[in-house]
Structures are given as C-alpha cells and as structure tokens.
Amino acid sequence: MSEQDYKVLPRDVEQGEFHQAIEKFRALLGDDNVLVEEAQLKPYNKIMMPSEDAEHAPSAAVTATTVEQVQGVVKICNEHKVPVWTVSTGRNFGYGSTAPHHRGQIILDLKKMNKIIHVDAELGTALVEPGVTYQQLYDYIQENNLPLMLSFSAPSAIAGPLGNTMDRGVGYTPYGEHFLMQCGMELVLANGEVYRTGMGGVEGDNAWQVFKWGYGPTLDGMFTQANYGICTKLGFWLMHKPPVIKPFEIQFEEETDIAEIVEFIRPLRINQVIPNSVVIAGVLWEASTAGVRRSDYTSEPGATPDAILKQIQKDKHLGAWNVYCALYGTPEQVEVNWNIVTGALKQLGKGKIITEEEAGGTEPFTYRAKLMSGVPNLREFGLYNWRGGGGSMWFAPVSQARGSECDKQYALAKEILNKHGLDYVGEFIVGWRDMHHVIDVLYDRTNPEETKRADACFNELLDEFEKRGYAVYRVNTRFMDRVAQSYGPVKRRLEHTLKKALDPNNILAPGKSGIDLDKFNDW
C-alpha cells in the first residue's frame, strides 16, 4: 500500500511517519496481523453510542500473540508517537465495544493471546491471558472435571475475565465483585518493561495467585479502568462448586415496592445468608430477555405507557420488580438459610417466591439461574431487541444499599428517560453494602432524531444524578471525560501526574477514563 492511501491517521501523525510505523508492525507481527484496509477495520468501528462512526474510526489494527510482541508494539508506538487502544476480547458493547476512544488510534487486539496458563483446583486459582473467554474457561473446567465455578457478567460466553476485571465489572455469584477476586497482574508498561503486581516480581515464587499484597505499595487498582499499562496476564480466584445451589426468584407487584425490597434484602446480604450479588430487575429488562419486543405491544413513538408495562407484566407472569438470589452450601446449610429467607419474607408481608422447580425452565428465570450457577450464556442480548436499531448505553450510578436511595434513583431515572421518549430498562445489583444501579439506555441508532434524544437523555442523567451526589462507576468512551470531571480536579491532576511519569508520549489509550495528556490542561 502506498503511504498516501491511509484514510485515517492518528492525531498529529503524518502519512510518512505512520507508514514507517506500519512497516515496522509488519516486520514484527507479520502481514496477516497488521490490518489497514477499510473492510478489515470495519469490525473495530462498530459502536452503539450516539456518535458518528467516523469519530471512533481506527487507523489500523494489529494482533499480538506474545508478551514480547506487545513490548515491540509499544516500542514502535513510542518511536512514532502512535496512540494504541488495547482490547482483549472486545465484547464490552454497552460501554464502548472494540472501537477506540477517538479517531485515529490503532487497535492492539489481544484475542489471539488466549492461553489458560494455570488452574489450581485445590486452591481455586487461575492465571489467564487477555483473549481467554468465559466460555473457554468454563469448557476447560468441565472437560477436566474440576470442582470449580465461574463468576461473570451477562452476556458472558464471549466476554473474558481479564477485560471484565480490568474494567471492574461485576457478576452474579458470591464471587461477583471481580476486582476483589483478582490476584496478580502482569503488565507491559509504556516504556516496554514488564511489571508484575503482588508476589509476581520474585522469580520462582508460587504465591502470586494466592496473596494479593506482596511487598511495598500495592498498585493493582491503579491499572484498572486506566491507561498506565497493558495487562498481559491476570490471576484470580475461583469458587469451589458447592454440593447444592438453590436459585430462586421473588416477584413484587408494584414499582413502588423497591424501597421495601432493598430493606428486606440488605441484612440478608450483609450477613451472607444470601451470599451472591442479588439482582432486582425491572419488568422491561426481564421481558426483553424473555423475547418481548416493544413492537409486540405498540407502534407509537416515545416512552412506553405504564398501562402497557402492566399488561406485559401480566402476560409474561413477571413482577414490576423481579429479585434473583441463590443459596449455596451443603443441604443442611441451604435448608437453614432458606428458612431464614422465607421467614423474613413472611414478616415483610409481600412478594411471591418462586423456586427453580416452580419456574419449570421458563425464561427469564432459566438464564438468571445459569448466571448464579456459573454457566455462561448470551440471553441478555435480548435487551437489544426491545426497541431495535442498535443503540445502547449503560448508565451505572452507585448508591448506598438503602431503600430510600433506590426509591429516589429509580424515580429520577424514569422521569428523565420518559421525558426524552425512552424507557426505563434497569436493574439494581446488591453488593455487600452498595447498589449498582444499571440502566440500559436503549434507542434506535438508525433514527437520527431518536439518537439525538438519547444523547440529550444521557447527558441529563449524568447532570441530574451528579447534582444529587450520585457518581457513576463506569461509562462508555463517549462520556469518559464528562464523568472524570464529576470526580473533581484533584483526582484528575493526580491521574495525569501519574500518566506523565509513566507514559510521557501519551501512547497508551489516551482518553481512557478521561486521562489524556493532550487534552488535560488543569495543572
């Protein structure tokens, strides 16, 4: 290819300079692992945000298979000031997909680094490369008859533990706080050096996956949701599969029940009677994952009327809120905790409890039971069919696990979404003491007017929640800088000071979580 043929270039990099970098990538990785043609790059430019595709078009994509090749890519990027956006499995759809933060960044795709390096069934530990998927790891556990179970996000089969953990994703089992279960990272730094966290720096040490802290400052968290290094190995803990897993659902009839639900769940969750990450899902979330489309009920534009929501609830045998939990342990342990849960529900005086046997293989109970039992699936993609058109943005504020907080957040979110003609499709995930409020802002991206409304809606959600002291913990690439602003100047100055020290050429994923030396001037 002539050096004049590159249609998209990195910021401030000219054709000749970029051509030299591409030729070095080819010499390092081979021609098949350096993609520059528009058709080749199309999969790396698929987005679900209300932006123009062109704003997130990569200039090239390269694939590496070894840590040494990742070091080589970083070296070339430094020499030619080419920014690189790294993806592991690239299945983080609602938070940004594989497309880079901004136009012209090259993609470093690590899906070919997919070795399961080690699984210890006795200790319940694993060490994997970036491209390992949850389905791959699940199959490995099954084929080797290991007494272990996974925790993952949903949809899970095509996503992977390294990428999900590095972005601080959560799951639905007792090990659902994934970063808490992380134990040991290997990272290629911007200067090309390989750094291992925890015990990994001592050659021959075998405690890397069992003890998090090592010696001196513990830096693992610094590399999550950040752009200070490229993670090439991740260690984490796996739960031993218990003799009994008892998933169940509790349906509540009215949307106003949310405050009482949270007050009912919190003590059971904090005291580990219910040990997993409990989900409290709204009716449209559950209906969508059971195959319901908005067009089944109405063709009118705008937000779906409450009367239709009630009709869907009735037709599909759902609650206004659908609470999913599971009990784990020996038969005796599960029986004791089941009696505690049913006793507390009786005291509450509302809520219909449904066991796996009573659900009888129906959706959405079945896919929820799989999530809580460590069986990957793709059922949650049904959300994207509710309105159709490929628009999706996750809005994820966090609050205290108090009924009053969830009541306020739900009312505010629904008011804003409906004002912009969109639906509340959300769920709360109960951590130990927190609530992740996860809302999928679904819209038709092929409709310019609706896309414009979705963009305005997301901005208003950010503004109004911030005014009330609710911060979001994760967001898609379009809004990363906006969310970074909400956390204040001191945090941003510290993050950019670290960036300047570790990556002075600003080559590693500039823009990730709002960290970009070319854009930040508030020193």
Side-chain angles (χ1 to χ4, degrees), residues 290-395:
V292 178
R293 296 168 183 256
R294 189 174 185 276
S295 57
D296 296 338
Y297 283 85
T298 181
S299 58
E300 292 296 316
T304 306
D306 284 349
I308 291 181
L309 302 188
K310 276 294 176 192
Q311 190 62 48
I312 294 173
Q313 188 179 327
K314 180 182 175 185
D315 292 347
K316 302 302 173 184
H317 309 291
L318 297 168
W321 295 106
N322 304 273
V323 180
Y324 296 95
C325 326
L327 304 178
Y328 305 79
T330 64
E332 295 81 9
Q333 288 172 315
V334 168
E335 183 180 1
V336 167
N337 286 332
W338 178 250
N339 289 335
I340 295 172
V341 171
T342 52
L345 190 66
K346 188 176 181 181
Q347 194 170 11
L348 179 65
K350 60 171 64 175
K352 177 187 175 186
I353 199 160
I354 300 168
T355 64
E356 191 167 25
E357 293 74 22
E358 291 166 341
T362 56
E363 296 290 1
F365 187 99
T366 298
Y367 102 92
R368 291 286 186 185
K370 286 181 178 176
L371 293 181
M372 294 186 286
S373 305
V375 182
N377 64 86
L378 298 173
R379 190 79 195 181
E380 206 159 276
F381 279 138
L383 287 168
Y384 300 143
N385 294 324
W386 169 245
R387 277 185 184 263
S392 167
M393 294 182 285
W394 296 104
F395 179 67

Side-chain angles (χ1 to χ4, degrees), residues 32-46:
D32 291 345
N33 292 309
V34 181
L35 311 177
V36 294
E37 301 286 352
E38 190 173 352
Q40 294 175 317
L41 296 176
K42 201 170 181 180
Y44 297 100
N45 196 198
K46 186 176 178 60

Side-chain angles (χ1 to χ4, degrees), residues 184-447:
M185 297 176 185
E186 178 186 88
L187 303 119
V188 174
L189 304 178
N191 64 4
E193 292 183 325
V194 176
Y195 169 66
R196 289 184 170 185
T197 66
M199 310 295 280
V202 178
E203 192 171 351
D205 186 274
N206 64 6
W208 192 23
Q209 269 67 71
V210 297
F211 186 65
K212 288 169 172 280
W213 317 119
Y215 177 76
T218 300
L219 304 179
D220 303 59
M222 189 180 90
F223 293 99
T224 62
Q225 290 193 1
N227 50 15
Y228 301 140
I230 296 171
C231 190
T232 48
K233 291 184 183 65
L234 182 86
F236 56 98
W237 297 339
L238 295 161
M239 182 177 163
H240 282 149
K241 192 170 184 178
V244 177
I245 301 174
K246 185 180 179 65
F248 60 97
E249 178 188 5
I250 310 172
Q251 291 185 352
F252 291 84
E253 286 297 309
E254 305 298 333
E255 61 179 0
T256 52
D257 289 336
I258 183 65
E260 289 178 274
I261 296 170
V262 175
E263 293 300 308
F264 159 68
I265 289 290
R266 186 183 58 243
L268 298 171
R269 182 73 182 92
I270 286 180
N271 293 305
Q272 296 289 288
V273 173
I274 297 174
N276 69 322
S277 303
V278 174
V279 169
I280 307 170
V283 61
L284 284 187
W285 191 299
E286 295 310 274
S288 302
T289 55
V292 178
R293 296 168 183 256
R294 189 174 185 276
S295 57
D296 296 338
Y297 283 85
T298 181
S299 58
E300 292 296 316
T304 306
D306 284 349
I308 291 181
L309 302 188
K310 276 294 176 192
Q311 190 62 48
I312 294 173
Q313 188 179 327
K314 180 182 175 185
D315 292 347
K316 302 302 173 184
H317 309 291
L318 297 168
W321 295 106
N322 304 273
V323 180
Y324 296 95
C325 326
L327 304 178
Y328 305 79
T330 64
E332 295 81 9
Q333 288 172 315
V334 168
E335 183 180 1
V336 167
N337 286 332
W338 178 250
N339 289 335
I340 295 172
V341 171
T342 52
L345 190 66
K346 188 176 181 181
Q347 194 170 11
L348 179 65
K350 60 171 64 175
K352 177 187 175 186
I353 199 160
I354 300 168
T355 64
E356 191 167 25
E357 293 74 22
E358 291 166 341
T362 56
E363 296 290 1
F365 187 99
T366 298
Y367 102 92
R368 291 286 186 185
K370 286 181 178 176
L371 293 181
M372 294 186 286
S373 305
V375 182
N377 64 86
L378 298 173
R379 190 79 195 181
E380 206 159 276
F381 279 138
L383 287 168
Y384 300 143
N385 294 324
W386 169 245
R387 277 185 184 263
S392 167
M393 294 182 285
W394 296 104
F395 179 67
V398 176
S399 75
Q400 296 178 342
R402 296 185 194 279
S404 56
E405 293 295 307
C406 297
D407 209 14
K408 285 189 285 188
Q409 283 207 358
Y410 169 63
L412 180 61
K414 186 174 180 183
E415 178 189 346
I416 293 170
L417 283 154
N418 287 178
K419 172 185 165 186
H420 292 277
L422 302 172
D423 295 319
Y424 175 86
V425 183
E427 66 178 13
F428 290 93
I429 302 176
V430 189
W432 270 347
R433 291 162 178 81
D434 65 275
M435 304 287 291
H436 283 53
H437 188 184
V438 182
I439 301 165
D440 198 352
V441 179
L442 295 165
Y443 63 100
D444 182 356
R445 196 167 176 270
T446 66
N447 179 334

Side-chain angles (χ1 to χ4, degrees), residues 166-185:
M166 294 302 288
D167 268 343
R168 296 206 293 271
V170 298
Y172 302 89
T173 75
Y175 280 35
E177 181 52 82
H178 293 164
F179 179 54
L180 189 65
M181 300 304 160
Q182 176 275 142
C183 194
M185 297 176 185

Side-chain angles (χ1 to χ4, degrees), residues 88-161:
S88 48
T89 62
R91 304 298 184 179
N92 191 4
F93 294 114
Y95 289 118
S97 67
T98 56
H101 177 270
H102 57 258
R103 181 179 174 83
Q105 295 175 325
I106 70 161
I107 302 291
L108 173 57
D109 186 342
L110 299 182
K111 66 173 178 289
K112 293 181 180 177
M113 294 179 68
N114 60 356
K115 295 187 187 71
I116 299 171
I117 299 166
H118 183 63
V119 175
D120 190 310
E122 290 182 349
L123 294 169
T125 65
L127 182 67
V128 301
E129 290 189 330
V132 171
T133 65
Y134 284 116
Q135 185 68 53
Q136 185 184 347
L137 191 52
Y138 176 79
D139 291 343
Y140 178 90
I141 290 170
Q142 299 307 307
E143 288 163 8
N144 290 280
N145 197 28
L146 302 180
L148 299 168
M149 61 179 281
L150 295 173
S151 177
F152 37 71
S153 58
S156 43
I158 56 178

